[in-house]
Amino acid sequence: MRLATWNVNSIRTRLPRVIDWLSRADVDVLAMQETKCSDGQFPALPFFELGYEVAHVGFNQWNGVAIASRVGLDDVQIGFEGQPSWSSKPEVAAGAEARALGATCAGIRMWSLYVPNGRAVGDPHYSYKLEWLAALRDTASGWLSADPGAQIALAGDWNIAPTDDDVWSTEFYAGATHVSEPERRAFGAIVEAQFADVVRPFTPGPGVYTYWDYTQLRFPKRQGMRIDFILASPALAARVTGAQIVREERKGKAPSDHAPVFVDVTDPRQG
């Protein structure tokens, strides 16, 4: 069984790329982030034609997360318990953004997560990011406390490079978000809550990235960041047999600025 995550950076713009890759990649479940559309605008039909059910949450042209599955899509949940709210305008009431979507697919609880960017250290959005990650850690810990054998994948764009090896230049990112110690500690707290990075053992660094900015020829210069991860609960991590960052999908016409990432897991009936 193959589980994947991909920040598609606008599903309507990237639809041909996503559908083409799905038709070739033998992916069973795909978590997508930054779909940048409302539910009514999401192009579900091409996924259905490939045999995928789709769940999506999006409110406007920002954020948006989706899960496409060809092995079942049950118990769909928008947002996680305790997910913080946000408003960039004092006159607008804060609300939960379209950043988290969960569904059960062939016994695996798949979460598509788009962690807030943070914008700049000290910005209110940075505080929101840390609060969001702390809430996710607390809620995810509760899931495992309730069921230590739960099969859970926290997949998505985490907007954090957990180690210095995960950026092309520590000097370039000095003082910026994504690499600050509070963000790295927040990511580490989720790992310490028994959600393992199941991609890194099969894609060791340094110099192994999942994101390359469109500007300054970052991709051909290999100047990227590793910020897309699949973190797995202990029971699911034990089933992982391989993983890949599909760097080739960052090439070509109109790519996303992120590459898809996937893991392969054994069929539990073979255990």
Side-chain angles (χ1 to χ4, degrees):
M1 188 172 172
R2 180 163 289 177
L3 312 176
T5 183
W6 195 358
N7 179 321
V8 296
N9 190 17
S10 176
I11 187 58
R12 290 178 290 173
T13 300
R14 235 61 66 186
L15 181 63
R17 298 283 310 238
V18 175
I19 294 298
D20 175 68
W21 183 66
L22 277 179
S23 69
R24 294 181 284 108
D26 197 28
V27 168
D28 294 294
V29 185
L30 173 63
M32 290 171 276
Q33 303 84 43
E34 243 188 318
T35 58
K36 294 185 177 180
C37 65
S38 66
D39 289 346
Q41 294 171 321
F42 187 91
L45 183 57
F47 290 90
F48 295 159
E49 291 174 339
L50 274 183
Y52 292 86
E53 299 177 80
V54 178
H56 175 262
V57 57
F59 306 129
N60 48 39
Q61 74 272 31
W62 308 113
N63 309 319
V65 284
I67 298 173
S69 171
R70 65 182 186 185
V71 293
L73 192 68
D74 302 312
D75 302 321
V76 175
Q77 179 181 341
I78 296 172
F80 56 85
E81 298 86 350
Q83 181 177 327
S85 58
W86 168 258
S87 176
S88 60
K89 301 178 181 178
E91 70 275 12
V92 177
E97 296 183 298
R99 291 185 176 274
L101 184 69
T104 300
C105 310
I108 295 173
R109 190 65 177 166
M110 187 77 165
W111 281 90
S112 182
L113 303 172
Y114 181 43
V115 175
N117 178 282
R119 298 179 183 169
V121 175
D123 189 281
H125 205 260
Y126 179 80
S127 299
Y128 165 57
K129 179 179 189 175
L130 296 178
E131 181 185 359
W132 201 96
L133 288 161
L136 176 62
R137 176 205 61 211
D138 291 347
T139 298
S141 294
W143 295 333
L144 286 184
S145 295
D147 181 5
Q151 310 266 338
I152 305 170
L154 306 178
D157 176 359
W158 291 78
N159 273 316
I160 298 171
T163 76
D164 285 350
D165 283 347
D166 297 329
V167 294
W168 67 273
S169 169
T170 55
E171 292 78 11
F172 180 84
Y173 290 106
T177 59
H178 294 51
V179 300
S180 72
E181 284 307 310
E183 291 167 285
R184 287 179 168 179
R185 285 197 299 269
F187 184 93
I190 296 173
V191 174
E192 290 168 7
Q194 300 186 69
F195 287 89
D197 177 356
V198 289
V199 177
R200 193 183 298 269
F202 300 94
T203 59
V208 178
Y209 308 128
T210 65
Y211 163 85
W212 303 260
D213 196 297
Y214 289 126
T215 65
Q216 303 297 315
L217 298 175
R218 295 291 183 211
F219 182 70
K221 292 179 181 178
R222 299 182 177 270
Q223 296 175 346
M225 307 177 77
R226 186 198 287 251
I227 57 175
D228 301 85
F229 300 92
I230 299 174
L231 303 187
S233 63
L236 181 60
R239 294 171 55 190
V240 173
T241 60
Q244 185 178 335
I245 298 167
V246 193
R247 189 178 183 275
E248 292 297 307
E249 290 303 314
R250 179 58 177 81
K251 300 178 180 179
K253 183 179 180 180
S256 171
D257 44 2
H258 294 249
V261 178
F262 70 77
V263 296
D264 290 325
V265 300
T266 58
D267 187 326
R269 294 169 296 185
Q270 299 173 352

